[in-house]
Amino acid sequence: MFSPTKPEPTCLIMSLPDEVVVDIIARVSTRFHPSISAVNRRFRSLVASPELYKARKSLLGGCNEHCLYVILQSMGENSETRVYNLRRKPDGGRRLVLISSLPAMPLEASFVAAADCSGIHVFGGFSLYDRREQCALSIDCRYHTVQPLPTMPERMHGTPLAHFMDGKIYLLGYTDYYKKVTAVFNTKTQTWEPEMTEPHIELRHVLHGQHGSVNSIVYDVSKETKWETKWMLKFYKWKSVCVIDDVFYSYDRLHNEFRAFDTKDRYWREMKGIKTLLPCKKSIVGWPGVVNCGGKLLFLYQKRVCRIKELWCAEIALERRQDGEIWGKVEWSDLVIVGNFCLIESLVVMF
């Protein structure tokens, strides 16, 4: 005589209505959303839904998490520029994961994170199929979708400089080797300004710090004084630099050290406490990335190990001491991806 089969236990959350499940997921950190999406088709749909974003905004009072997005260009015959984001592994480490729902990005484009829309805007460059076609795209980082933007009013050669400020993205570049042009995109109305609304903004090339490397910056002429002509930048586009609490942090590849410029005491100084983190000068490849992530410093750098390129990412907590010295404490450092690629850009988006 056969004993009756016991019914398999059911998962309680699977029987809950969508609005309740959305409310539960909204309370979970976004770094776990990819794992939740992998449970089944229903959860994948809920994680990608606008209702989840609205619930998070209502519960948490707006943006409360910072997510790192990295643009990598693969090298070789079939070179592509793709978007990755940093995710937590089950063992607690971090890794970069390709966002497969996003298409290949235009080559030589400029990427800028807009703080008011949880997204990344892409300007300039050209497509793989038509070098005459200049791109203008918006990446919605909540749902990992792409929308086209209105055509740029001026075609710019090369990669334009771009920076977000006060609800607008300022693009500066050249239509030829001599003529400088500026375009302003309003992220709220999703339109281009009919004319330059900030005529005191200029594109300049200046020396960086004590070491003489030339960098392109966006400069606010209205604040120009004798001292400010040298140092005070309203906003900028440097290689390997970011600003946290009015302090410029820059990785000096020539001397293999982090340097900080405090706008209060107007002095460049070496950051202490992170010598063990910095890679050997001979092994580092390309330009590292330095980005502000919620008041902490994210440092991305490529190392060549034999013939393989490794991309490492470290998070550094910062401390300004009474004597003016700035110390860094490495909170974690992980190998996030391996392959034949070039680091194009690193951006932090807030949710």
Side-chain angles (χ1 to χ4, degrees):
M1 188 173 179
F2 295 101
S3 58
T5 333
K6 292 182 179 180
E8 293 184 5
T10 58
C11 180
L12 178 61
I13 196 171
M14 301 301 293
S15 62
L16 296 175
D18 285 355
E19 56 268 23
V20 177
V21 177
V22 165
D23 185 74
I24 294 171
I25 299 175
R27 301 169 191 271
V28 178
S29 171
T30 55
R31 69 173 179 265
F32 297 112
H33 286 187
S35 300
I36 296 173
S37 296
V39 172
N40 57 32
R41 185 178 297 176
R42 179 192 178 201
F43 279 24
R44 184 161 57 251
S45 175
L46 293 177
V47 167
S49 68
E51 286 73 22
L52 177 61
Y53 177 73
K54 292 175 184 176
R56 283 181 56 80
K57 194 170 183 179
S58 173
L59 287 168
L60 305 172
C63 302
N64 78 317
E65 287 195 57
H66 299 78
C67 297
L68 176 68
Y69 285 80
V70 177
I71 317 299
L72 298 178
Q73 182 179 342
S74 60
M75 309 304 288
E77 186 177 350
N78 298 316
S79 175
E80 282 190 327
T81 302
R82 301 299 299 266
V83 183
Y84 297 73
N85 89 310
L86 190 69
R87 295 182 185 173
R88 186 73 66 91
K89 296 192 293 186
D91 62 5
R94 283 91 175 162
R95 66 188 176 117
L96 282 179
V97 177
L98 172 68
I99 304 176
S100 57
S101 62
L102 295 178
M105 294 291 110
L107 301 174
E108 298 183 14
S110 185
F111 299 83
V112 59
D116 60 351
C117 63
S118 298
I120 297 171
H121 288 67
V122 186
F123 298 106
F126 53 88
S127 72
L128 289 171
Y129 309 104
D130 187 357
R131 285 181 171 265
R132 297 169 300 176
E133 178 188 352
Q134 197 145 49
C135 300
L137 306 170
S138 174
I139 300 173
D140 191 326
C141 294
R142 298 166 298 178
Y143 318 121
H144 291 161
T145 56
V146 173
Q147 295 293 332
L149 295 174
T151 305
M152 293 173 61
E154 293 266 14
R155 178 177 174 80
M156 299 182 186
H157 290 289
T159 305
L161 299 179
H163 192 85
F164 173 81
M165 184 177 70
D166 299 333
K168 297 178 181 179
I169 295 174
Y170 293 83
L171 290 175
L172 292 98
Y174 293 89
T175 55
D176 53 40
Y177 290 106
Y178 304 102
K179 184 184 176 183
K180 292 187 290 188
V181 292
T182 305
V184 182
F185 184 76
N186 190 314
T187 58
K188 295 176 182 177
T189 62
Q190 294 289 289
T191 58
W192 294 96
E193 299 286 344
E195 58 184 9
M196 180 59 181
T197 56
E198 299 285 347
H200 56 275
I201 301 296
E202 288 187 5
L203 172 65
R204 294 187 180 182
H205 302 286
V206 298
L207 297 181
H208 172 203
Q210 304 170 354
H211 309 310
S213 58
V214 177
N215 293 275
S216 298
I217 63 164
V218 180
Y219 192 90
D220 186 350
V221 182
S222 66
K223 295 198 171 186
E224 187 168 334
T225 66
K226 183 177 180 180
W227 174 77
E228 289 170 338
T229 300
K230 188 176 181 182
W231 294 117
M232 183 57 70
L233 310 177
K234 178 71 175 179
F235 53 92
Y236 52 85
K237 179 69 175 181
W238 277 352
K239 291 286 187 181
S240 308
V241 69
C242 72
V243 178
I244 301 175
D245 296 331
D246 295 326
V247 177
F248 286 68
Y249 293 93
S250 176
Y251 173 70
D252 181 354
R253 182 177 171 183
L254 179 63
H255 295 81
N256 194 29
E257 64 185 19
F258 261 101
R259 302 188 65 80
F261 177 78
D262 192 330
T263 57
K264 294 180 181 178
D265 61 19
R266 308 175 186 179
Y267 182 73
W268 282 100
R269 64 181 79 243
E270 181 184 358
M271 188 195 301
K272 307 288 187 180
I274 58 169
K275 277 290 186 183
T276 56
L277 166 70
L278 300 177
C280 170
K281 282 199 297 184
K282 293 182 179 179
S283 67
I284 198 165
V285 181
W287 282 101
V290 181
V291 61
N292 178 359
C293 185
K296 295 182 180 180
L297 199 66
L298 287 183
F299 178 45
L300 293 99
Y301 60 94
Q302 300 170 83
K303 290 200 304 184
R304 188 183 297 279
V305 180
C306 296
R307 296 185 178 181
I308 300 174
K309 285 184 182 178
E310 298 178 345
L311 180 62
W312 288 74
C313 182
E315 185 176 70
I316 303 171
L318 304 166
E319 178 189 356
R320 190 188 312 194
R321 299 188 176 177
Q322 291 184 348
D323 57 4
E325 287 191 342
I326 295 177
W327 284 72
K329 179 184 177 183
V330 180
E331 299 205 331
W332 54 263
S333 178
D334 289 324
L335 171 62
V336 292
I337 197 168
V338 176
N340 187 19
F341 51 79
C342 178
L343 175 62
I344 302 298
E345 189 63 272
S346 50
L347 310 116
V348 168
V349 177
M350 293 186 294
F351 291 92

